[in-house]
Amino acid sequence: MKVLIIGSGGREHALGWKLDQSTKVHELYFAPGNAGTSFLGTNVAINVTEIDQLVEFAKSEEIGLTIVGPEDPLCDGIVEAFEKEGLRIFGPNTECSKFESSKDFTKNFLKRHNIPTAAYNTYTDYDSALAGLDEVSYPIVIKADGLALGKGVVIAENYEHATATLDVMMNQAQFGDAGSTVVIEEFLDGPELSLLCIVSHNRVIPLDFARDYKRALDGDKGLNTGGVGCYSPVPVENHVQKEIKAINEMIEKGLIEDGYDFTGILFIGYIVQNDVPYVLEFNVRFGDPETEVLMPRLESDLFDILNKAIDDTLVDEDLIWSNEQAVGVILTSKGYPEAFEKGHTIKLPAQKPTGTLLFHNGTAFDDDSVVNAAGRVLTAVGLGKTKEDARLLAYNLVGRIESDNLTYRTDIAK
Ligand code: AMP
Ligand code: GLY
């Protein structure tokens, strides 16, 4: 069967790498893909939000399954557009994609179903948001309601910081419409966990835990990024696991009660404060870099899993994990998450050490050279018996990549 993967990041490269191992997948296409994905399949020059062209392509190439990487096309209705044409696609519909495109929508869902989350208020105008600050203690978390490329969350340390943030989001419209509504919520403190779940017609089937490193610099310093390192599995105490399982069941029950038909990925961001898990956020797509460390550990056939999810036949036992530890280190363009230069040549290693994988997050070809084309550029993954083995392998691979414009954190999984 022919499979189309929409997106151009490390997540899509890792999904393609995993699908390529299925005996049922005969040809892979990426729209638009990157330099790395071109070694696995065919890159098609259609952007992720050009839904009509993607539908036309899938029809003319008789694509048997399409998998959507990023949230934008999901929120724009790609699933409905494909299904209308009888094309098979894995991802949530527009209604369920609101769990990612509106923080207020998700917070309301969590509140309605008594699911533990940070206490919050939603404001649609600056004056009432300002008045809302009278009731809070600091730090406080201010979130643009809509999609803001991962930049719409600010932890305000004091009143001045909070008012300045509200001004930038609501008056100066830094994120356009996405910031015209804000959620102000209680600050929670503790380790975070990424739990990606395959949802099959509202049934929530979790993958293994992963831990993402969001800050740009060592020691969790610097600006927030999309994620610059990751590892899986993550040891989680039994009683916390039990509570997370109970919350997952509450989410499932909530989806059913509210009458959704959710099929796709529900990525639950958990934070564990004083040993108690709270839901921080939902995304409706595979995480990046979570996918780069989860796919190498998945032993079962991803193509079967996604098809079973669509057909409502997926069960927990379909997901088989290796005991291996995976550590992923992201090489980013110097300057990321702020301004950076593109087009610098990258010399990739001719040979990779055994137990390593290299996924491309943001690369392109300039003639025959591979160059950086985005903020996050490559993910070096190490696989080992212990996290330390995996970490050393990942950094060994990092050391073999040559470029004058790449940087990385040195403390991932340390
Ligand atoms: P979100 O997009 O809602 O996941 O927020 C992005 C990041 O901001 C999270 O991964 C956390 O690191 C941080 N964050 C969000 N909400 C809170 C909160 N209530 N308390 C502490 N940190 C938070
Ligand atoms: N790594 C976090 C995300 O994919 O949103």
Side-chain angles (χ1 to χ4, degrees), residues 103-336:
K103 306 257 185 214
D104 179 53
F105 181 87
T106 293
K107 293 297 277 191
N108 282 333
F109 173 86
L110 296 171
K111 191 167 162 188
R112 192 161 59 244
H113 298 289
N114 295 313
I115 295 166
T117 187
Y120 76 102
N121 278 305
T122 301
Y123 300 97
T124 52
D125 71 273
Y126 176 75
D127 288 335
S128 36
L130 209 57
L133 293 179
D134 291 341
E135 300 153 27
V136 307
S137 56
Y138 293 90
I140 196 83
V141 186
I142 302 180
K143 301 183 174 186
D145 178 60
L147 295 177
L149 297 167
K151 291 177 183 156
V153 176
V154 173
I155 296 168
E157 300 294 339
N158 50 45
Y159 181 77
E160 289 68 36
H161 190 187
T163 51
T165 302
L166 290 176
D167 183 50
V168 166
M169 283 185 187
M170 303 188 89
N171 296 334
Q172 299 175 37
Q174 182 191 14
F175 305 116
D177 263 0
S180 60
T181 296
V182 298
V183 170
I184 300 187
E185 71 176 37
E186 165 199 16
F187 175 81
L188 300 174
D189 197 13
E192 289 179 47
L193 286 168
S194 299
L195 186 63
L196 279 63
C197 306
I198 306 225
V199 185
S200 171
H201 302 277
N202 297 331
R203 287 184 304 115
V204 174
I205 298 165
L207 308 188
D208 228 336
F209 289 110
R211 172 154 294 145
D212 181 18
Y213 288 72
K214 288 216 164 72
R215 299 294 200 96
L217 306 175
D218 280 12
D220 284 331
K221 303 253 161 49
L223 294 172
N224 254 326
T225 69
V228 291
C230 207
Y231 67 86
S232 173
V234 184
V236 178
E237 285 186 67
N238 274 340
H239 68 277
V240 176
Q241 282 201 39
K242 253 194 194 158
E243 284 184 50
I244 287 180
K245 188 161 182 273
I247 293 176
N248 295 344
E249 284 164 6
M250 290 166 89
I251 293 171
E252 184 170 295
K253 210 166 136 256
L255 291 173
I256 295 165
E257 268 177 32
D258 290 354
Y260 293 112
D261 184 9
F262 194 130
T263 294
I265 297 292
L266 183 68
F267 167 162
I268 310 172
Y270 275 105
I271 191 163
V272 184
Q273 176 174 268
N274 300 328
D275 265 0
V276 181
Y278 297 83
V279 174
L280 268 192
E281 65 156 346
F282 285 159
N283 297 309
V284 298
R285 46 158 181 88
F286 285 96
D288 194 338
E290 285 84 349
T291 306
E292 290 95 305
V293 292
L294 286 166
M295 288 305 118
R297 296 191 51 243
L298 181 63
E299 287 184 345
S300 20
D301 184 322
L302 180 65
F303 181 77
D304 285 342
I305 290 173
L306 301 182
N307 278 299
K308 283 183 177 184
I310 294 172
D311 295 335
D312 206 0
T313 56
L314 186 71
V315 291
D316 292 79
E317 292 70 31
D318 287 319
L319 291 159
I320 301 164
W321 298 95
S322 82
N323 288 326
E324 267 185 327
Q325 308 280 318
V327 171
V329 178
I330 300 217
L331 294 102
T332 57
S333 300
K334 283 183 185 166
Y336 171 80

